[in-house]
């Protein structure tokens, strides 16, 4: 029996960028429930609701202990009525009806399948669903013309929906490093995104490239990309050039949040040989259903969403039992090729903007959003991944490190491993 008067309520600061949020925390079940509703809102093109659930989840991730009663949540920021109902449901019943029915809903499942195609966003998926397209076969049968990204996405669907491991990220890092120094000696490559925050798996690998001499990085991306193409490392790439300096609002205006670096969205062809040296867990399938059949390393998953193993861990033979994926595998037996497709993002930044780019590309997405919100509302500053503009002083604030940016913003420095909001 809990005496409400004796319960000590938790306390956390309002902005996620004021909190230290490690990958491991004490409220996974609650945060996962809210994150699923956030994901569903984002997939439904309701970004406002998505952010609200993400913020609520980030509050729970920051708590020093597991939540056991609603009274502990009194006075916490970012917990709206809807999030509180979900939390109460989980505390009372072990699960939230809304979350469980969302997971089971045809619409959510179709949105997941269709946006699982690289190049397909929430809007495109919604349009297809309104035409009755819920599966990859239905999409293929519909005769819709797909753009180049979507064609690549469909072709490498299974690989790209298999989490990228840290070992694979490191193997790709070595290739990128080699490409970059071959075309511009002295240039530097930094791993960003989730892997810089310490994640052990991700949906892609993100790299930031610069050169210590300002200006030397200009035009670097096309050279890196053609080196990679020539060596046969790219299955797909789309490069966009730097539009920061020539953009209409120009550097004299507060920078917008839109990133204008030279960047490349790509799909790498990673030889399985390249990660063979790395230690792989014997059996780390989270579902526990990953097991071997005599003489055949086949994963007998029945729920394709629950196998977290990469093809490398399964020897490439994880035959996921989803009907649509099953059919795709008949045309392309993913398990019998000596390589896998991996999404890679490359960004080139001039060294004068490097700290801002590093901060902006390390994430998490909510952490980034909260940093910009803090800058604008609390400090009258505009933060982008290019610069920090002080509206009161009417000037840009320089920074050579992330620490300096946090200092300009009046925030305690939060290391990458604690930006997992
Ligand atoms: P993602 O690669 O989408 O996410 P992630 O690396 O945190 O997680 P995952 O393991 O699923 O890959 O984005 C990485 C960071 O890059 C994130 O903070 C958002 C940021 N970013 C963009 O994605 N696009 C942009 O235009 C800018 C400026 C930043
Ligand atoms: Mn703790
Ligand atoms: Mn990433
Ligand atoms: Mn990315």
């Amino acid at each position: 029996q809990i005496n409400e008067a004796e319960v000590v309520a938790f306390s956390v600061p309002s902005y996620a960028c004021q909190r230290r949020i490690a990958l491991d925390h004490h409220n996974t079940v609650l945060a996962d429930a809210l994150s699923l509703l956030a994901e569903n809102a984002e997939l439904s093109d309701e970004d406002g609701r998505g952010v609200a659930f993400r913020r609520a989840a980030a509050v729970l991730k920051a708590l020093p202990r597991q939540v056991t009663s609603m009274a502990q949540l009194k006075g916490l920021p970012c917990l709206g009525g809807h999030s509180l109902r979900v939390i109460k449901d989980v505390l009372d019943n072990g699960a939230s009806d809304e979350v469980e029915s969302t997971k089971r809903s045809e619409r959510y499942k179709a949105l997941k399948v269709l946006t699982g195609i690289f190049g397909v966003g929430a809007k495109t998926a919604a349009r297809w669903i309104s035409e009755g397209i819920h599966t990859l076969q239905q999409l293929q049968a519909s005769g819709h013309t797909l753009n180049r990204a979507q064609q690549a996405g469909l072709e490498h669907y299974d690989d790209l929906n298999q989490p990228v491991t840290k070992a694979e990220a490191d193997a790709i890092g070595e290739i990128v490093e080699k490409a970059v120094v071959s075309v511009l000696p002295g240039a530097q490559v930094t791993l960003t995104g989730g892997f810089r925050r310490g994640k052990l798996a991700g949906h892609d690998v993100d790299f930031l490239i610069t050169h210590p001499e300002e200006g030397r990085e200009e035009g670097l991306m096309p050279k890196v990309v053609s080196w990679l193409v020539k060596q046969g490392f790219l299955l797909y790439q789309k490069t966009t050039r730097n539009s920061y300096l020539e953009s209409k609002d120009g550097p004299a205006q507060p920078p917008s949040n839109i990133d204008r670096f030279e960047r490349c969205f790509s799909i790498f062809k990673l030889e399985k040989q390249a990660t063979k040296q790395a230690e792989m867990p014997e059996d780390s399938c989270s579902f526990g259903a990953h097991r071997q059949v005599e003489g055949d390393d086949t994963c007998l998953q029945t729920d394709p969403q629950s196998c977290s193993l990469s093809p490398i861990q399964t020897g490439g033979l994880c035959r996921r039992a989803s009907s649509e994926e099953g059919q795709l595998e008949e045309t392309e037996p993913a398990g019998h090729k000596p390589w896998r497709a991996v999404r890679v993002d490359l960004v080139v930044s001039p060294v004068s903007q490097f700290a801002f780019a590093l901060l902006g590309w390390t994430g998490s997405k909510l952490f980034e959003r909260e940093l910009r919100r803090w800058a604008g509302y609390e400090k009258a500053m505009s933060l982008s991944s290019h610069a920090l503009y002080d509206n009161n002083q009417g000037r840009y604030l320089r920074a050579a490190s992330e620490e300096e940016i946090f200092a300009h913003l009046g925030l305690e420095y939060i290391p990458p491993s604690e930006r997992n909001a």
Side-chain angles (χ1 to χ4, degrees):
Q1 184 77 37
I2 295 159
N3 179 350
E4 296 269 313
E6 281 173 17
V7 171
V8 181
F10 293 122
S11 160
V12 303
S14 309
Y15 290 82
C17 55
Q18 296 173 288
R19 309 177 202 137
R20 296 177 172 272
I21 303 180
L23 281 170
D24 276 321
H25 60 86
H26 308 280
N27 288 285
T28 331
V29 175
L30 290 174
D32 285 353
L34 292 166
S35 299
L36 186 124
L37 296 182
E39 182 195 32
N40 185 53
E42 288 157 2
L43 290 175
S44 307
D45 210 23
E46 294 172 20
D47 287 342
R49 275 161 53 81
V51 172
F53 286 126
R54 296 261 175 233
R55 285 209 186 112
V59 165
L60 297 174
K61 291 179 193 175
L63 300 179
R65 272 170 291 122
Q66 193 184 338
V67 174
T68 50
S69 89
M70 293 303 284
Q72 296 170 310
L73 304 178
K74 207 164 166 256
L76 285 179
C78 310
L79 297 180
H82 197 155
S83 294
L84 287 171
R85 275 203 304 283
V86 173
I87 295 169
K88 185 169 189 315
D89 223 6
V90 175
L91 291 183
D92 290 352
N93 312 313
S96 146
D97 284 342
E98 183 179 4
V99 171
E100 296 311 308
S101 66
T102 300
K103 271 190 214 167
R104 282 192 309 263
S105 77
E106 287 308 315
R107 186 177 174 82
Y108 173 78
K109 286 192 271 186
L111 284 167
K112 286 283 277 185
V113 167
L114 297 176
T115 59
I117 305 169
F118 170 64
V120 176
K123 287 195 177 77
T124 304
R127 185 155 38 80
W128 287 342
I129 291 171
S130 75
E131 297 167 18
I133 298 166
H134 287 221
T135 65
L136 299 185
Q137 297 93 327
Q138 287 169 341
L139 176 61
Q140 281 170 322
S142 74
H144 273 293
T145 311
L146 302 180
N147 65 31
R148 207 169 56 87
Q150 293 162 347
Q151 284 170 33
L154 204 51
E155 187 176 346
H156 305 293
Y157 189 86
D158 282 355
D159 277 358
L160 298 184
N161 282 286
Q162 202 71 238
V164 184
T165 64
K166 180 67 166 78
E168 290 169 329
D170 290 339
I172 287 173
E174 279 175 33
I175 297 166
V176 172
E177 182 93 37
K178 204 165 165 204
V180 167
V181 300
S182 298
V183 300
L184 181 64
Q188 293 160 0
V189 179
T190 307
L191 183 65
T192 61
F195 287 110
R196 182 162 183 254
R197 302 198 306 276
K199 283 177 65 176
L200 297 174
H203 95 283
D204 69 355
V205 196
D206 307 282
F207 295 100
L208 179 59
I209 303 163
T210 194
H211 189 283
E213 271 173 70
E214 185 84 0
R216 294 285 301 280
E217 82 294 339
E218 271 173 48
L220 179 55
M221 190 71 87
K223 291 180 195 152
V224 171
V225 169
S226 41
W227 190 95
L228 289 167
V229 168
K230 228 172 269 162
Q231 304 277 322
F233 284 119
L234 292 187
L235 296 164
Y236 168 90
Q237 65 85 17
K238 182 176 161 60
T239 304
T240 55
R241 61 202 199 99
N242 184 334
S243 59
Y244 183 62
L245 291 171
E246 67 210 36
S247 66
K248 242 201 278 159
D249 47 7
Q253 292 282 112
S256 86
N257 290 333
I258 302 159
D259 192 274
R260 300 202 197 79
F261 289 118
E262 262 192 317
R263 58 185 283 183
C264 177
F265 301 97
S266 73
I267 301 175
F268 263 61
K269 179 177 182 173
L270 180 63
E271 299 293 330
K272 289 179 180 173
Q273 201 68 27
T275 42
K276 227 182 180 175
Q277 315 301 72
E279 278 285 318
M280 289 297 172
E282 273 298 294
D283 184 2
S284 60
C285 187
S286 58
F287 197 57
H290 179 82
R291 52 196 170 89
Q292 299 187 346
V293 196
E294 296 178 291
D296 184 9
D297 284 323
T298 304
C299 175
L300 292 182
Q301 283 289 146
T302 45
D303 177 359
Q305 305 296 357
S306 41
C307 182
S308 63
L309 286 187
S310 74
I312 287 171
Q313 288 165 307
T314 61
L317 290 165
C318 180
R319 212 164 287 146
R320 300 186 299 170
S322 148
S323 49
E324 59 268 8
E325 285 164 8
Q327 289 216 357
L328 272 192
E329 279 177 357
E330 276 168 27
T331 49
E332 181 170 359
H336 299 286
K337 57 185 175 41
W339 54 270
R340 72 161 290 195
V342 178
R343 272 273 298 118
V344 175
D345 283 337
L346 304 174
V347 181
V348 171
S349 150
V351 70
S352 62
Q353 299 172 20
F354 180 79
F356 297 99
L358 184 60
L359 181 59
W361 283 88
T362 296
S364 68
K365 282 191 182 105
L366 182 70
F367 191 89
E368 302 294 336
R369 181 183 269 273
E370 293 280 278
L371 271 177
R372 293 195 296 267
R373 192 165 70 94
W374 167 272
Y377 280 84
E378 305 295 332
K379 297 288 157 179
M381 293 179 186
S382 315
L383 174 68
S384 75
S385 47
H386 296 277
L388 178 63
Y389 185 82
D390 185 327
N391 292 292
N392 289 327
Q393 297 187 55
R395 67 179 183 98
Y396 284 94
L397 304 178
R398 295 184 161 277
S401 66
E402 289 181 316
E403 283 86 342
E404 287 177 53
I405 303 172
F406 280 86
H408 282 316
L409 291 169
L411 287 169
E412 188 189 331
Y413 177 69
I414 310 282
S417 63
E418 294 179 307
R419 296 180 202 160
N420 288 294

